[in-house]
Amino acid sequence: MYTNKFGRHMLGLCSRKPAAVCGVVRRAAGRSGFSWTAVCQQRTLWLQRSGFLEKEKRAVIRQTGSRSASQTTVDPSELKRFQSLASKWWDEQGEFAALHAMNDLRVPFIRDNLLNVHRARHPGKPLAGLRILDVGCGGGLLTEPLGRLGAKVLGIDPVENSIGTAQLHSSYDPDLREQVSYQVCTLEDLSGEEEGGKEEQGAAQFDAVVASEVVEHLADLETFAFCCSSVLKPGGSLFITTINKTNLSYALGIIVAEQILRIVPSGTHDWEKFISPEELERLLESNGFSVQSVQGMLYNSLSGAWSWTNSTAINYALHAVKLEDSAEDSSSHPEDHTAASHS
Amino acid sequence: MMHKLTKAPLALNGLGRCFITEKHVSAVKIIRRELVVAQHESDSGKNEVYDVIISGGGMVGSAMACSLGMDPNLTGKKILLLEAGNKKVMDKVPNAYSTRVSSISPGSATLLSGIGAWEHITQMRCKPYKKMQVWDACSDALITFDKENLQDEMAYIVENDIVVAALTKQLDSLSDNVQVKYRSKVVKYTWPMPHQAADSIPWVQVTLANGETLQTKLLIGADGPNSMVRQKLGIPTVKWNYDQSAVVAVLHLSEPTENNVAWQRFLPTGPIAMLPLSDTESSLVWSTSHRLAEELLELDEESFVDAINSAFWNNENQSELIETAGSMFRGALSAIMPSAGSPRQLPPSVAGIGPKTRVMFPLGMGHASEYIRHRVALIGDAAHRVHPLAGQGANLGFGDVACLTQLLSQAAFNGKDLGAIQHLLEYETERQRHNLPMMAAIDLMKRLYSTNAAPVVLLRTFGLQATNMLPALKEQIMAFASK
C-alpha cells in the first residue's frame, strides 16, 4: 500500500542501527525526537488528506449499515473469522481460555505502568480518573478488569457480535455499567471523529490506549500507530501485546498452538502479519512514541498460565509513551549530537 | 457517537431483537427476552449487587468480614455479613468465665491482631500459656511442648464469647465498608449457572426469612459444621461421628497457682484436658463415650470434681508389663540422648466447678471434599470439623480466613471478578494441603489413644517418649500447629 511505502521511505532516510532487543528494554524518552518532527508534520498532512477521503467513504458506508467499513487497517477475512466466535468469549475454559489467562500478565502490566505515572489516589480503585481506550476489545475480556480498577474504558471492535457480547456481559454488573462502554467501530473512525469534533469534545482524549493481541490482525500498522497517537493525550501510554515474527513463533504459535494443541482456533493468526519488537519499536518511534519497555511472555499450555520471560521470541508486551510536543523540542538538542555521531 | 450506558436497557432490547432475527426464535421467547429486559430495568435500581456476602457470624465468619473490610485493595467493595442470631455486645466482661473456650495459636493471634480485634481481646480477657504436657494414662510416657526458655507464649486460651464480642466491636468501627445484618436467617440460596446464559442472573441469590432477596458476586459460607451452604450445594462430605461427646466445664482450682500450663491426659475412654483461664480457674474439656458423658453430667458437684482429679492423677490403668517396658524404653532413649526428656509434672487439683457451666456436646469429624464452587467458598467448620484434642478447630478456620483474604485482595488488585473460579481454586488447594494432614493427624491420635490394648500402648509409649526426646521434631510439630 502507498502508506507503507511512504513510511518505509521515511524510515530509510533516517536509518538507525536496530539495537538487539532481548528482554526488558528501557528507552529514555524523546530519543527519536529530532528529525521526525518534520517527517511527522508531512505525514500528518498527507494522511489527513487521505483520512478525509476515507471519512467520506465511511460516512456513505455507515448510512447503508454495512459492517465492512473502514478497511484501512482491518482485514475483511479477519472480521468473518471472529464473528463466529463472538458468543464464546466468556467461557473461561473455552476457545479463549488463553486470553482469559493472559489477564494475569497484562492487567498488572498496564496497571503498574500507569501507576508509575499517575499516583493512585483512591485505594481500591488504582486507575480512577483515567480514560483508557481498548482497541480490538472483542468480548471485553481486558476491558472489564480495567474498568473494575476504576478507569473509564471505551472498548471498540469492528465485529458487532463481539461488542454485543461485551455489552451484555458488562450490563449485569452495576459497578461496570458506569465504567465501561463499547462501540462498534475501528480506530480510524474514532480518531477521525476526534479530529472533526475536537473543538466540542476536548475530553475525547485518552490517558492510555491498549491494543492487546490486535496488531497481528491488522493490515496497516502505520495508520494504526498514527491513529493511536492522535487519540492519546501527550504523555499518554500505549500498551501492545502481540506475537513476534520468528521461526519459533511459527513453530509454536501457529503449528503447535493452532493445529496440534488447539489452544487458539485454527486460522486465527497469519505469520506474515506478526511483527518483531524491533520493527514495532521503529514504527512507533517514527510516529512520536518512545518505547519504555518490552517484555517477553510465555504460555504454559499444561498449566494454562502465562508468565513473564526474558525471551521475546514468541509473545511479548510493549509499553510506549506518546511524546509530549514540548518535550520533543527541548530534548532534541542533546539528541542532535548523538544522532550526528551515528549517521 | 452515543455510547452512554444509561441507554443500556435500550441497547439490550435492540440486541435481543438482533439475536432473534438471526435465529428465528418463536414469539414466546421474544416476549420472555423483553420481560427480562423489563425486569432488568426495575431490578437495577432496587437490587444492588454485593461483592461479598458472608453467611454466618461466628468466630470465623466475623473474622472474615473484618479481614475483608480492612483490606486496602477491597476499599469500596460492598461486603455483607449475615448472622441468624442476635448481636453479641459485651460492654462489660462478666465475672464468670464461659464454658466454651478455644486455644488461639500465634498464627491466629497474628491474624486477629492484623484486623484490630486482638487488642480488644487482650483488653477483655485472655490467658497465654507457655507449656503443654500431654501424657498417657496407660503408661508413664509423656511429652511436653514449650518454647525456648519458657519466654514466649505458646498459645492463648480465649473464651469464644470474647472473640466474637471483640470482632463485633471491630466490625462496628468498619461500618463504612462492611454491613452486618443480625437476626437474618437464610432460607434459600439460588446458584448461578457457570456459563452466563443470556437471560439469567449471573449472581448468587440469597433469600432471607423476611422475604428479602440479596445478590452477590461471591458467597462465603461460614455457617458451621452443619453448613446449609454446603448442603445446598450438594458437596460430598466425608464425615463420621466419633463415639464420643465432650463434657466442658469451668473449674475452680484448689489453690491459686501460676497456671500457665495446658494439661491433657489420654485415658482409654478419651482425652481429658485442663486449659488455664486464670490463676484460680481452668477450663475442662473431657472427651469420653456418650454414656460416660451423660453420667458425668448427672453427678453432683463433689463427685464430679473427684472424677476429674482421679482422671488426672490415678494410675490404675497401667499394668506392670507396660510400666517395665516404659522404663526400659526411657532408659534406652536416655542412653542415646541423655539431656533430653522432661520430668513429669502433675496438674493442679480441682476444688469445685463454676455453677451451671457443665455442658456436653457430641464430637465428630467432617471434611468437605470441595471447599469451593462457582461463586462460593466455604471456610471454618463448614469446610472441616475436627476433634478438640489438639485445640486446632478455630485455628484452621482462622487460617482459611487469612488465605482467602489474601487471594481476594490480590484478585481485586488485578481487576478480577471476585467470584471467578481461578483464585477460589487456589484457596481450596492451599487450604486442603494444610488442613488434610492436620485432620489426619488428629484423627490418628484419637484412634491411637482410644484403646488400652498392650501392643498399641507399647507402640504409642515408645513413640511418645522418642518424640519427647527429639527437640527438632517437637519444634516442627509446634510450628505446624501454630500456623
Side-chain angles (χ1 to χ4, degrees):
Chain A
M1 268 202 64
Y2 191 59
T3 330
N4 267 333
K5 269 201 212 154
F6 183 65
R8 289 216 187 92
H9 184 59
M10 284 291 107
L11 284 171
L13 276 183
C14 317
S15 63
R16 245 184 302 141
K17 272 184 278 196
V21 174
C22 199
V24 178
V25 174
R26 307 229 169 254
R27 297 298 173 102
R31 176 188 157 151
S32 54
F34 85 106
S35 61
W36 299 112
T37 327
V39 171
C40 282
Q41 279 171 356
Q42 270 202 329
R43 183 179 305 118
T44 314
L45 217 54
W46 185 92
L47 281 172
Q48 264 187 352
R49 261 181 260 130
S50 66
F52 276 121
L53 289 173
E54 291 288 358
K55 227 174 124 183
E56 278 174 76
K57 191 167 55 165
R58 255 174 271 137
V60 170
I61 292 170
R62 207 177 288 143
Q63 275 162 12
T64 57
S66 153
R67 261 187 267 109
S68 57
S70 31
Q71 299 298 298
T72 45
T73 62
V74 177
D75 210 20
S77 51
E78 306 266 346
L79 273 181
K80 285 209 186 66
R81 199 178 304 126
F82 276 110
Q83 273 158 32
S84 61
L85 298 174
S87 55
K88 301 177 187 165
W89 282 102
W90 285 97
D91 181 358
E92 285 177 43
Q93 269 83 46
E95 315 251 2
F96 295 108
L99 275 184
H100 277 280
M102 203 197 280
N103 276 347
D104 291 339
L105 289 191
R106 41 187 191 170
V107 174
F109 184 66
I110 297 169
R111 174 198 74 210
D112 294 339
N113 280 310
L114 285 177
L115 283 178
N116 278 341
V117 179
H118 308 265
R119 293 266 152 256
R121 265 163 276 121
H122 300 257
K125 295 223 179 278
L127 299 181
L130 299 181
R131 291 195 66 208
I132 303 183
L133 173 68
D134 186 3
V135 181
C137 64
L141 266 58
L142 182 54
T143 325
E144 288 198 6
L146 293 174
R148 276 194 207 99
L149 289 178
K152 286 248 188 299
V153 194
L154 170 64
I156 63 175
D157 199 282
V159 180
E160 195 176 326
N161 281 356
S162 301
I163 294 289
T165 308
Q167 274 173 329
L168 185 63
H169 193 266
S170 69
S171 68
Y172 287 109
D173 189 341
D175 299 320
L176 284 180
R177 276 184 223 142
E178 296 136 42
Q179 300 298 120
V180 306
S181 55
Y182 296 100
Q183 212 170 312
V184 180
C185 67
T186 64
L187 185 56
E188 300 79 54
D189 294 341
L190 202 69
S191 61
E193 270 167 46
E194 314 248 310
E195 283 178 21
K198 217 189 254 179
E199 296 82 21
E200 311 118 38
Q201 289 183 2
Q205 295 268 322
F206 295 96
D207 295 288
V209 170
V210 174
S212 177
E213 305 302 299
V214 161
V215 301
E216 68 265 24
H217 299 286
L218 296 181
D220 179 3
L221 285 179
E222 277 288 344
T223 315
F224 168 79
F226 176 73
C227 294
C228 283
S229 177
S230 73
V231 302
L232 268 178
K233 287 181 187 162
S237 288
L238 172 63
F239 297 96
I240 294 179
T241 77
T242 186
I243 310 183
N244 198 347
K245 190 175 181 176
T246 61
N247 291 327
L248 193 60
S249 74
Y250 186 72
L252 291 180
I254 297 202
I255 297 185
V256 175
E258 286 187 14
Q259 283 148 30
I260 301 180
L261 294 179
R262 300 195 192 273
I263 300 166
V264 177
S266 184
T268 302
H269 291 126
D270 173 8
W271 189 77
E272 289 302 322
K273 293 216 185 99
F274 290 176
I275 182 169
S276 71
E278 296 83 19
E279 215 184 302
L280 184 57
E281 202 176 319
R282 222 178 295 142
L283 178 80
L284 290 174
E285 302 214 341
S286 72
N287 276 286
F289 284 96
S290 158
V291 174
Q292 300 291 303
S293 66
V294 179
Q295 181 88 40
M297 311 195 296
L298 184 64
Y299 183 61
N300 179 341
S301 54
L302 290 172
S303 65
W306 289 85
S307 54
W308 293 115
T309 178
N310 281 334
S311 157
T312 56
I314 316 172
N315 295 79
Y316 63 93
L318 179 148
H319 171 221
V321 166
K322 173 178 169 177
L323 295 168
E324 317 247 354
D325 301 316
S326 51
E328 267 183 290
D329 301 88
S330 56
S331 62
S332 63
H333 297 292
E335 294 306 312
D336 268 334
H337 304 295
T338 49
S341 62
H342 280 309
S343 54
Chain B
M1 179 65 84
M2 299 295 257
H3 53 77
K4 294 189 199 128
L5 277 187
T6 48
K7 300 204 188 283
L10 288 175
L12 278 178
N13 230 319
L15 196 63
R17 263 181 256 124
C18 157
F19 273 74
I20 288 156
T21 49
E22 279 178 23
K23 291 176 189 173
H24 310 289
V25 175
S26 72
V28 176
K29 278 204 179 160
I30 294 174
I31 293 167
R32 181 148 50 104
R33 280 194 203 273
E34 308 222 328
L35 279 177
V36 166
V37 170
Q39 186 199 22
H40 201 68
E41 280 186 61
S42 62
D43 273 355
S44 55
K46 201 176 27 159
N47 273 346
E48 53 175 325
V49 179
Y50 285 94
D51 290 286
V52 183
I53 290 186
I54 301 161
S55 183
M59 285 196 288
V60 175
S62 305
M64 188 82 218
C66 275
S67 184
L68 293 178
M70 290 189 67
D71 190 278
N73 288 333
L74 296 168
T75 315
K77 298 271 187 251
K78 300 194 214 43
I79 303 166
L80 172 67
L81 173 65
L82 292 175
E83 164 57 28
N86 291 320
K87 183 169 177 177
K88 303 224 173 40
V89 187
M90 201 184 267
D91 296 315
K92 198 173 84 73
V93 180
N95 285 332
Y97 281 89
S98 56
T99 338
R100 299 299 303 268
V101 305
S102 296
S103 168
I104 305 290
S105 70
S108 303
T110 308
L111 167 76
L112 290 170
S113 147
I115 62 181
W118 190 246
E119 215 185 290
H120 300 311
I121 290 176
T122 46
Q123 276 167 7
M124 288 193 239
R125 191 157 64 195
C126 84
K127 183 79 174 111
Y129 62 95
K130 299 192 179 173
K131 193 167 132 181
M132 180 155 84
Q133 177 176 301
V134 179
W135 73 113
D136 202 338
C138 298
S139 74
D140 52 8
L142 73 85
I143 186 168
T144 58
F145 293 100
D146 51 47
K147 290 269 176 79
E148 280 277 324
N149 302 326
L150 292 180
Q151 291 296 350
D152 292 328
E153 285 92 33
M154 260 188 75
Y156 307 84
I157 301 293
V158 189
E159 294 149 85
N160 292 359
D161 288 344
I162 292 205
V163 177
V164 176
L167 288 167
T168 306
K169 192 163 167 196
Q170 190 60 15
L171 278 173
D172 283 341
S173 72
L174 291 173
S175 51
D176 304 328
N177 296 334
V178 185
Q179 220 189 322
V180 188
K181 283 196 208 278
Y182 293 98
R183 295 209 294 279
S184 305
K185 186 163 156 49
V186 178
V187 297
K188 189 169 118 157
Y189 291 104
T190 310
W191 310 118
M193 301 292 294
H195 296 303
Q196 205 177 328
D199 52 357
S200 67
I201 299 180
W203 317 121
V204 177
Q205 294 178 77
V206 180
T207 311
L208 300 178
N210 62 7
E212 235 184 300
T213 299
L214 307 164
Q215 297 182 330
T216 179
K217 296 177 191 169
L218 173 65
L219 174 72
I220 297 182
D223 44 354
N226 297 322
S227 164
M228 183 182 164
V229 175
R230 188 187 71 222
Q231 282 164 20
K232 293 297 177 192
L233 280 171
I235 291 181
T237 308
V238 175
K239 62 179 171 189
W240 49 77
N241 287 320
Y242 291 126
D243 48 358
Q244 288 184 347
S245 289
V247 175
V248 289
V250 174
L251 307 173
H252 296 307
L253 304 178
S254 306
E255 47 189 44
T257 161
E258 213 185 322
N259 207 10
N260 52 10
V261 182
W263 310 94
Q264 175 148 290
R265 190 180 201 197
F266 281 103
L267 308 173
T269 49
I272 180 171
M274 191 191 296
L275 307 168
L277 288 174
S278 72
D279 289 344
T280 53
E281 288 180 58
S282 287
S283 173
L284 171 79
V285 184
W286 190 346
S287 314
T288 185
S289 67
H290 296 305
R291 194 178 49 84
L292 273 171
E294 277 163 15
E295 278 176 25
L296 283 169
L297 278 190
E298 275 154 33
L299 289 175
D300 59 286
E301 187 176 321
E302 230 183 280
S303 315
F304 184 60
V305 167
D306 285 340
I308 296 173
N309 284 326
S310 148
F312 275 115
W313 295 49
N314 192 306
N315 283 331
E316 68 189 13
N317 278 311
Q318 291 182 21
S319 68
E320 269 205 44
L321 163 68
I322 305 287
E323 261 193 67
T324 327
S327 46
M328 246 174 53
F329 288 146
R330 216 184 9 258
L333 284 168
S334 52
I336 304 171
M337 300 198 63
S339 56
S342 29
R344 187 218 291 227
Q345 293 183 302
L346 282 173
S349 70
V350 180
I353 60 170
K356 294 198 213 131
T357 62
R358 237 191 297 182
V359 196
M360 85 179 229
F361 55 90
L363 298 177
M365 201 290 284
H367 190 252
S369 58
E370 298 165 58
Y371 286 6
I372 59 147
R373 280 285 168 87
H374 181 57
R375 297 199 182 280
V376 187
L378 296 174
I379 61 174
D381 281 357
H384 42 72
R385 181 186 176 201
V386 293
H387 196 284
L389 66 83
Q392 289 303 314
N395 296 317
L396 291 180
F398 288 129
D400 294 345
V401 170
C403 175
L404 187 56
T405 303
Q406 196 247 326
L407 287 168
L408 288 177
S409 174
Q410 193 57 41
F413 192 48
N414 287 342
K416 288 207 179 131
D417 177 349
L418 288 183
I421 203 99
Q422 189 195 356
H423 48 267
L424 293 183
L425 267 173
E426 264 185 72
Y427 157 73
E428 182 187 69
T429 310
E430 195 179 313
R431 289 313 293 170
Q432 286 196 337
R433 270 192 203 145
H434 175 267
N435 293 344
L436 278 167
M438 173 71 81
M439 295 175 69
I442 295 174
D443 196 66
L444 176 66
M445 291 283 280
K446 189 259 168 204
R447 289 175 196 285
L448 192 62
Y449 280 92
S450 291
T451 170
N452 54 0
V456 183
V457 175
L458 284 170
L459 176 72
R460 70 196 195 209
T461 301
F462 187 55
L464 203 60
Q465 283 178 339
T467 311
N468 196 29
M469 303 232 169
L470 296 170
L473 180 57
K474 284 205 283 188
E475 260 160 57
Q476 285 294 320
I477 296 173
M478 284 209 302
F480 185 54
S482 312
K483 266 191 279 195

